[in-house]
Amino acid sequence: MRTTGKALFCHLYMLLLFVGFCQGKDLFFNDKRLLLPESYKIGWMEAIDDDKLISDITIPGTHDTMALYGGPAAECQAWELGDQLRAGIRYLDLRIFAFENKLYVMHWVVYQHKSFYEVLDTIRAFLSEFRSEAVLIRVKPDLFDKENVEELIGEMIIDDTDVWVKSDMPTMAEARGKMIFVQKSSFKLGIPLLETDSKGDYEVTHIADKENKIVKHLTQASGDCGGDYIVLSYSSGTGIGTLLGMFLTPKKVAEKIDPWLDQYLRQFSSDHSSACFGVIAMDFPGIDLIQTVIKINDW
């Protein structure tokens, strides 16, 4: 009887450890529906000083924000846009396709079941509820008719006073309640962008190599924060299209990278009296990882 009781206790203990591990992992990486604690602080930008430049803030973002459809090779997120915003995401990465004078959200050749008009409506609804916040929007014209994307967006937002399309870097006070467009390459509306990654850095064949690239990018970002441009680093990646990493989908990469990234950011912050990384764009981030990125602004 004594042995049976001891064995039962050991089984229960191991089960609790396993459950705790799984729950902890899901808080850094998440491919399930969003569940926020009642005490969750949605309007986190309220605590940012009004005089601080947007470029001097560490901001959680998502890579290919709307990529929820298309199978394992294409999907980069699990949460719809409204849920991402409520979880704390404040940088959106959008691929936009113009067709017959309408704008649609794409990822590669996969339509993501949303028009750009619907995306703007979701952001406006969020900002009307949380006026302390600002949402950065990067538009990548995609597929055909790329030259018409900027013109059509300009027509959509021409009378909107809660949109920032100037190249001047706004302070937090100027940005509150606004959609802040980010310019790069073929899209020229908004504040300028500096990306820390190089061509091909998104390709992942070994997770350890990807970690080293992220460290390099974030080290550069920490030195470039606070200037006349938004600094952007990616933690996302995929092995699709490579030989050695052919089974490393965006989700499988994020499953390994997200918990590691959380630990890295915590360690970096504890080793430095102050830190700034600009925007960190992630795949499948969990709420604890998002909160770790946000809390860098307090350190």
Side-chain angles (χ1 to χ4, degrees):
M1 249 340 243
R2 201 173 292 168
T3 305
T4 303
K6 185 177 180 181
L8 179 61
F9 173 80
C10 288
H11 282 304
L12 288 172
Y13 180 70
M14 292 303 294
L15 179 62
L16 287 171
L17 284 179
F18 176 75
V19 170
F21 169 78
C22 291
Q23 289 178 339
K25 181 179 71 169
D26 284 349
L27 296 179
F28 306 123
F29 160 87
N30 203 310
D31 61 350
K32 302 174 179 64
R33 69 187 183 94
L34 178 66
L35 292 173
L36 291 179
E38 288 186 15
S39 60
Y40 198 82
K41 178 68 172 176
I42 294 174
W44 64 268
M45 284 182 155
E46 185 179 23
I48 303 294
D49 189 85
D50 276 345
D51 296 329
K52 186 161 258 190
L53 291 173
I54 288 293
S55 60
D56 203 23
I57 303 170
T58 301
I59 298 173
T62 43
H63 155 258
D64 275 316
T65 298
M66 304 296 290
L68 279 73
Y69 305 96
E75 293 167 9
C76 299
Q77 307 301 331
W79 298 332
E80 294 283 354
L81 177 56
D83 283 344
Q84 291 187 36
L85 294 172
R86 298 185 79 82
I89 296 298
R90 296 293 180 268
Y91 170 89
L92 312 180
D93 175 29
L94 305 173
R95 296 178 185 268
I96 304 299
F97 170 48
F99 181 68
E100 295 184 346
N101 290 326
K102 293 184 179 179
L103 298 172
Y104 301 93
V105 184
M106 307 292 291
H107 184 215
W108 295 343
V109 295
V110 182
Y111 172 52
Q112 294 301 316
H113 302 196
K114 294 288 182 185
S115 68
F116 188 66
Y117 184 84
E118 290 173 302
V119 169
L120 291 184
D121 267 0
T122 299
I123 301 170
R124 286 184 181 118
F126 174 80
L127 290 175
S128 68
E129 184 178 357
F130 297 96
R131 295 298 295 173
S132 62
E133 307 305 288
V135 177
L136 278 63
I137 304 171
R138 182 187 182 181
V139 171
K140 299 176 184 175
D142 212 355
L143 299 175
F144 318 110
D145 221 6
K146 293 182 180 181
E147 64 278 2
N148 285 338
V149 170
E150 182 178 326
E151 181 181 349
L152 290 171
I153 289 178
E155 292 172 1
M156 292 175 69
I157 62 176
I158 192 168
D159 295 322
D160 195 332
T161 57
D162 286 334
V163 171
W164 186 281
V165 292
K166 295 186 290 185
S167 60
D168 301 334
M169 188 62 60
T171 63
M172 192 67 243
E174 293 172 317
R176 294 194 195 279
K178 289 184 173 62
M179 296 181 281
I180 313 294
F181 278 87
V182 177
Q183 62 164 290
K184 179 76 175 180
S185 303
S186 56
F187 189 83
K188 301 298 184 184
L189 298 176
I191 56 179
L193 179 72
L194 173 67
E195 295 177 273
T196 59
D197 68 320
S198 303
K199 186 177 180 180
D201 280 351
Y202 70 91
E203 293 180 347
V204 181
T205 54
H206 298 93
I207 295 296
D209 291 342
K210 179 62 179 177
E211 292 172 355
N212 290 334
K213 288 178 182 177
I214 294 171
V215 170
K216 177 184 175 183
H217 297 158
L218 291 178
T219 300
Q220 178 186 338
S222 68
D224 288 335
C225 258
D228 296 329
Y229 38 72
I230 285 288
V231 181
L232 169 65
S233 302
Y234 295 95
S235 68
S236 55
T238 180
I240 303 298
T242 69
L243 180 61
L244 295 177
M246 66 175 70
F247 300 112
L248 288 171
T249 63
K251 182 185 289 188
K252 286 189 179 296
V253 172
E255 200 168 3
K256 299 291 186 182
I257 288 295
D258 288 358
W260 169 86
L261 177 61
D262 185 90
Q263 184 179 21
Y264 173 79
L265 293 174
R266 288 173 183 270
Q267 186 62 51
F268 187 98
S269 298
S270 68
D271 292 342
H272 297 78
S273 57
S274 63
C276 173
F277 294 110
V279 174
I280 304 176
M282 305 167 281
D283 283 349
F284 298 99
I287 57 174
D288 272 7
L289 174 55
I290 292 170
Q291 284 299 306
T292 295
V293 175
I294 292 169
K295 287 175 182 175
I296 290 169
N297 295 296
D298 300 333
W299 290 322

